[in-house]
């Protein structure tokens, strides 16, 4: 199976090359040339473990990896670091099923993919006979950085460098980053916001002199961002697994269509649900839920993508984003794999800050509906769900839960529960009308208020020594990076 660029100007590559490259050389994103042919026999799938399904999906999409390589990767990714036996767990609220994706090491859904990606990458490097050490460089608003460090931490032949904004990460996230113990992890705070960090990282990744110096030192950059196909494919698995469990629990019958609600930022998670539908998952509607950075809501309601608006820092910060990169992959398929059309949209986005899709392309997006939640609506939703159903959700999941009700989807529905409420304890406590304390005390407060246990992953977080205290300005990022890795 080959992967091609959405922009059509780069050679087709194998899965392992696509994983190593991250982004295609023409600036496009790698997509499967055609969908793998899978027979999803639900009577069998409903009896299988998460790891079994992950093996099925990885084998299909990463077909230049051997069976034993995939087995090794799955074993590494979905083992004892998970609090649950089968990676995800479920919570029912009438016809709505929360798929809890946050039982991994850093308490957010990005762990599902980022526990696998380092092993996909190092295996891919071996296959391609690349001896360079892989340097993962990332800017994070919190969840990507912690999940990437947990995944790449102490994986040989890799270095990981994370820049995060001094303001705008939760206290738990900051503590997770500052106490990271892996020898190959470099964690640096920058003054400014996430956008500043992101811009600087993009220019470092495009810096040719830097790339040359890296090469000479036996190093090369790769991306742990969700533009990497190695991030996307692992996320297909939980939609298939969740559907199989609904059948097993007799909530639906094989073949019944379901809705999927996804709190969305870079459009990776909801795109994975779409990929699942393309290989046989019966989906009625995809519900794209945004926060006040509601570019996607406007896009799906009007057909016009317009990034020219104020960036807002919200209480669901992992979704604070104005350019949802993975939308390009959806549009590629909606346009009938028309790379010229995609190129034109992406050029317009850079040059004019906006583009409007063709009616024919838009007509292929009717399964997608979108809406957004304000910060107050997020807080109200957390409080309402806690009070009426005794279940506490995090602010990102609350965006999805609000939109689910507002749009009024009916029938069996999955909602991606993307983070543990403990990761955003301060926001959740405020929503529950409490005055948040800080550090360990806030965790204790939340545990008491919700009658739930503090997740084992962070039970001793505030006892760990702080190892990373460096704070720099964005214009020092290049020299700091060189100092960290050379
Ligand atoms: C990253 C993240 C999201 C957004 O996911 P995308 O794949 O970028 O759309 C939502 N919620 C949480 C908690 C996240 O960390």
């Amino acid at each position: 199976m080959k992967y091609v660029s959405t922009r059509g100007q780069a050679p087709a590559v194998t899965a392992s090359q696509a994983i190593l490259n991250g982004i295609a050389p023409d600036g496009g994103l790698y997509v499967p040339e055609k969908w793998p042919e899978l027979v999803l026999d639900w009577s069998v799938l409903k009896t299988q473990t998460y790891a079994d399904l992950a093996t099925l999906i990885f084998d299909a999409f990463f077909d230049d990896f051997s069976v034993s390589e995939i087995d090794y990767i799955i074993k590494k990714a979905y083992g004892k670091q998970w609090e649950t036996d089968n990676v995800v767990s479920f919570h029912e609220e009438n016809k709505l099923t929360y798929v809890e994706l946050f039982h991994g090491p850093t308490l957010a859904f990005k762990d599902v993919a980022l526990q696998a990606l380092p092993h996909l990458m190092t295996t891919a490097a071996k296959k391609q006979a690349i001896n360079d050490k892989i340097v993962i460089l990332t800017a994070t608003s919190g969840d990507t950085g912690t999940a990437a460090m947990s995944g790449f931490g102490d994986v040989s032949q890799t270095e990981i460098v994370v820049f995060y904004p001094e303001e705008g990460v939760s206290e738990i996230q900051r503590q997770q980053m500052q106490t990271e113990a892996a020898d190959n992890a470099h964690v640096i705070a920058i003054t400014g916001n996430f956008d500043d960090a992101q811009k600087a990282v993009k220019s470092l990744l495009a810096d040719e002199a830097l790339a040359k110096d890296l090469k000479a030192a036996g190093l090369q950059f790769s991306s742990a961002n969700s533009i990497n196909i190695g991030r996307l494919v692992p996320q297909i698995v939980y939609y298939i697994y969740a559907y199989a469990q609904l059948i097993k629990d007799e909530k639906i019958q094989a073949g019944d269509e379901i809705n999927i609600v996804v709190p969305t930022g870079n459009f990776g998670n909801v795109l994975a649900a779409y990929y699942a539908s393309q290989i046989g998952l019966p989906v009625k509607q995809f519900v794209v839920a945004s926060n006040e950075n509601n570019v996607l809501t406007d896009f799906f309601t009007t057909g016009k993508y317009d990034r020219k608006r104020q960036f807002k820092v919200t209480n669901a910060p992992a979704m604070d984003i104005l350019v949802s990169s993975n939308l390009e992959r959806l549009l590629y398929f909606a346009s009938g794999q028309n790379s010229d059309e995609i190129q034109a949209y992406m050029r317009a986005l850079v040059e004019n800050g906006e583009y409007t899709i063709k009616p024919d392309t838009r007509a292929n997006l009717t399964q997608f509906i979108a809406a957004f939640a304000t910060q107050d609506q997020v807080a109200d939703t957390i409080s309402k769900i806690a009070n009426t159903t005794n279940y506490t959700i995090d602010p990102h999941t609350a965006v999805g839960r609000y939109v689910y009700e507002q749009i009024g989807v009916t029938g069996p529905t999955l909602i991606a529960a993307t983070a543990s409420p403990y990761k955003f304890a301060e926001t959740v406590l405020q929503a529950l009308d409490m005055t948040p304390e800080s550090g360990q005390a806030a965790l204790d407060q939340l545990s008491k208020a919700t009658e739930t246990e503090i997740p084992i992953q962070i039970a001793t977080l505030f006892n760990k020594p702080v190892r990373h205290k460096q704070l720099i300005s964005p214009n020092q990022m290049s020299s700091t990076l060189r100092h960290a890795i050379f």
Side-chain angles (χ1 to χ4, degrees), residues 108-110 143-144 226 231 235 262-270 318-319 394 396 418-419 424:
F109 90 94
K110 292 185 176 70
D143 282 347
T144 304
S226 66
R231 277 274 306 267
Q235 296 178 182
V262 188
T264 307
N266 210 24
F267 209 76
N269 205 3
V270 62
M319 296 158 56
D394 97 291
H396 304 80
T418 52
F424 300 92

Side-chain angles (χ1 to χ4, degrees), residues 310-384:
Q310 188 72 37
F311 176 85
K312 292 193 183 143
V313 176
T314 74
N315 55 6
M319 296 158 56
D320 291 344
I321 194 158
L322 292 180
V323 178
S324 296
S325 310
N326 276 300
L327 183 65
E328 180 171 346
R329 285 184 159 119
L330 177 66
L331 295 180
Y332 179 75
F333 286 100
S335 70
Q337 294 166 287
N338 186 337
S339 54
D340 292 339
E341 185 178 328
I342 301 303
Q343 265 191 67
Y345 294 154
M346 295 305 138
R347 198 178 312 123
L349 183 63
V350 171
E351 287 169 7
N352 315 322
E354 62 170 72
Y355 60 86
T356 301
I357 58 170
K358 293 184 174 163
D360 286 355
T361 300
R362 196 166 167 216
N364 290 327
L365 296 176
T366 50
Q367 268 188 302
F368 289 81
I369 39 178
F372 74 100
T374 65
Q375 300 191 64
D376 286 344
Q377 287 162 342
V378 166
D380 290 348
T381 302
I382 293 171
S383 151
K384 187 181 99 177

Side-chain angles (χ1 to χ4, degrees), residues 259-261 285-290 297 300-301 368-372 399-410:
N259 305 302
I260 302 183
V261 180
Q285 280 177 315
F286 301 94
V287 179
V288 180
S290 300
T297 307
F300 283 106
T301 11
F368 289 81
I369 39 178
F372 74 100
V399 168
R401 180 62 183 77
Y402 176 85
V403 166
Y404 164 74
E405 190 164 323
Q406 197 216 357
I407 285 184
V409 256
T410 54

Side-chain angles (χ1 to χ4, degrees), residues 171-172 175 422 424-426 429-430 434-450 452 454 458-463:
E171 197 180 11
I172 304 289
Q175 185 73 6
Y422 281 91
F424 300 92
E426 206 178 335
L429 284 165
Q430 273 164 355
M434 299 173 70
T435 309
E437 297 185 38
S438 72
Q440 182 67 39
L443 299 181
D444 294 337
Q445 227 179 341
L446 188 58
S447 171
K448 207 159 162 220
T450 59
T452 58
I454 299 173
I458 55 165
T460 61
L461 181 65
F462 287 95
N463 300 335

Side-chain angles (χ1 to χ4, degrees), residues 76-394:
K76 284 281 198 183
Y78 304 121
K80 289 273 184 289
Q81 70 270 50
W82 294 85
E83 224 187 327
T84 41
D85 288 338
N86 276 296
V87 178
V88 298
S89 64
F90 301 98
H91 173 84
E92 307 290 341
E93 186 196 322
N94 304 318
K95 282 195 177 321
L96 182 65
T97 302
Y98 294 83
V99 188
E100 296 183 349
L101 303 168
F102 52 76
H103 296 290
T106 73
L107 306 182
F109 90 94
K110 292 185 176 70
D111 285 330
V112 179
L114 279 163
Q115 289 297 308
L117 185 66
H119 308 292
L120 285 165
M121 245 180 214
T122 49
T123 306
K126 256 184 230 148
K127 301 182 78 63
Q128 301 292 327
I130 287 169
N131 297 315
D132 287 349
K133 206 177 214 190
I134 292 165
V135 180
I136 299 297
L137 174 62
T138 188
T140 183
S141 59
D143 282 347
T144 304
T146 53
M149 279 190 292
S150 168
F152 283 89
D154 291 330
V155 173
S156 63
Q157 290 296 100
T158 71
E159 294 283 331
I160 164 126
V161 186
V162 172
F163 291 103
Y164 70 95
E166 182 194 17
E167 304 288 333
V169 300
S170 81
E171 197 180 11
I172 304 289
Q173 290 172 321
R174 175 175 295 110
Q175 185 73 6
Q176 284 176 321
M177 288 193 276
Q178 291 187 339
T179 60
E180 175 59 48
D183 284 333
N184 63 340
H186 312 273
V187 188
I188 301 125
I190 68 150
T191 53
N193 61 30
F194 172 63
D195 240 18
D196 301 325
Q198 179 87 311
K199 263 188 221 133
V201 160
K202 279 195 179 143
S203 76
L204 288 172
L205 289 171
D207 183 336
E208 285 179 16
L210 180 60
K212 242 190 192 158
D213 292 348
L214 283 168
K215 192 83 203 145
L219 302 164
Q220 72 177 58
F221 279 140
S222 194
S223 168
N225 185 286
S226 66
I227 54 155
N228 195 311
I229 193 75
R231 277 274 306 267
L232 221 45
V233 170
Q235 296 178 182
I236 298 171
V237 178
Y238 46 73
Y239 293 110
I240 307 277
Y241 180 74
Y243 186 87
Q245 295 307 299
L246 288 180
I247 297 170
K248 186 178 167 191
D249 296 343
E250 299 180 353
K251 298 262 187 318
I252 57 168
Q253 293 188 336
D256 288 354
E257 285 188 336
I258 56 162
N259 305 302
I260 302 183
V261 180
V262 188
T264 307
N266 210 24
F267 209 76
N269 205 3
V270 62
L271 186 78
Y274 171 76
Y275 276 22
S277 76
Q278 295 304 300
I279 59 167
L281 182 72
V283 179
K284 191 160 97 196
Q285 280 177 315
F286 301 94
V287 179
V288 180
S290 300
N291 64 22
E292 287 168 16
N293 295 289
N294 56 355
V295 192
L296 288 168
T297 307
D298 292 347
F299 172 73
F300 283 106
T301 11
T302 66
K304 177 176 172 184
Y305 196 100
D306 184 356
R307 67 162 298 181
K308 302 188 304 299
R309 60 186 80 197
Q310 188 72 37
F311 176 85
K312 292 193 183 143
V313 176
T314 74
N315 55 6
M319 296 158 56
D320 291 344
I321 194 158
L322 292 180
V323 178
S324 296
S325 310
N326 276 300
L327 183 65
E328 180 171 346
R329 285 184 159 119
L330 177 66
L331 295 180
Y332 179 75
F333 286 100
S335 70
Q337 294 166 287
N338 186 337
S339 54
D340 292 339
E341 185 178 328
I342 301 303
Q343 265 191 67
Y345 294 154
M346 295 305 138
R347 198 178 312 123
L349 183 63
V350 171
E351 287 169 7
N352 315 322
E354 62 170 72
Y355 60 86
T356 301
I357 58 170
K358 293 184 174 163
D360 286 355
T361 300
R362 196 166 167 216
N364 290 327
L365 296 176
T366 50
Q367 268 188 302
F368 289 81
I369 39 178
F372 74 100
T374 65
Q375 300 191 64
D376 286 344
Q377 287 162 342
V378 166
D380 290 348
T381 302
I382 293 171
S383 151
K384 187 181 99 177
I385 300 302
N387 292 334
T388 57
T389 74
N390 209 17
Y391 181 57
T392 311
I393 55 180
D394 97 291

